[in-house]
Amino acid sequence: MRDRAHALSTDGHAGRVLGQLLGYVDARRGDPAAPPVLATREGQYLHLVGHSFGCRVLCEAVQWAAEGPATLGWSMSRPPDRPFTADSMLLFQMAAPRDAFATLFTALDAAPLHGPVVATYAQADLAAGFWHVRAEKGPGVGYAGIGTAPAPVSGIRMRGAGEPYPHDALDHRFVSVDASDVFVRRRGWSGAHSDHVRPESAHLLLSLAHHAR
């Protein structure tokens, strides 16, 4: 699965397809005069969400978007340095080494990503822990959180659905969210790897959307 996820963007064209898709979405964002559903002054926000190996494909796609002007609405006139940006990227239980942002996705800082990269992790995630250690000689982001990165990593705990996230808790380039007390349901060999479909996860995503306004 690791090799396939990487091959989708290196040998295949998944990164380019997703990049062009994001440009298509940007070109057709809603009119800001329409009902204010995740609306900005210019149109709608865009928040990216991935899970497991899908996080790697998503990072490849956004990173690829930094390489050429044919992607993500570069011809738009505003803002002049990055005509189009994604407003946040939320990665649930990412299946990649802890130093992936310092070694594999080093171009993310130059990519059209305006908001934070937020990644959850949980110690009950066997896929990103026990099995990841055996496949890649070390734990994954989904088990141990973000390790080294091009910018400082802020560490916070996952909050309950009724407990607000302060703006300054999420206002960092990299945010590692400890969900060990929330993602606890074990399922077969992968443990809590897919235990992210919870109100707390929706609360985190909506908090990112709220603070991006």
Side-chain angles (χ1 to χ4, degrees), residues 68-175:
T71 312
L72 304 185
W74 293 106
S75 61
M76 295 176 62
S77 60
R78 201 163 56 175
D81 57 338
R82 285 289 183 268
F84 165 77
T85 61
D87 296 287
S88 70
M89 183 155 63
L90 176 55
L91 308 172
F92 288 112
Q93 305 309 110
M94 186 175 186
R98 296 193 68 210
D99 63 352
F101 296 105
T103 59
L104 298 176
F105 309 121
T106 56
L108 280 180
D109 271 350
L113 178 63
H114 177 64
V117 176
V118 180
T120 65
Y121 68 96
Q123 294 184 346
D125 185 337
L126 298 181
F130 180 85
W131 295 109
H132 200 280
V133 169
R134 280 145 187 79
E136 301 206 34
K137 310 306 180 187
V141 173
Y143 174 81
I146 301 173
T148 55
V153 180
S154 176
I156 64 173
R157 65 174 179 84
M158 176 167 272
R159 297 175 178 241
E163 185 180 0
Y165 286 92
H167 179 269
D168 59 4
L170 298 172
D171 191 20
H172 304 274
R173 169 53 86 188
F174 295 97
V175 182

Side-chain angles (χ1 to χ4, degrees), residues 190-203:
S190 64
H193 187 61
S194 297
D195 192 25
H196 63 289
V197 184
R198 291 180 171 270
E200 294 86 351
S201 300
H203 175 48

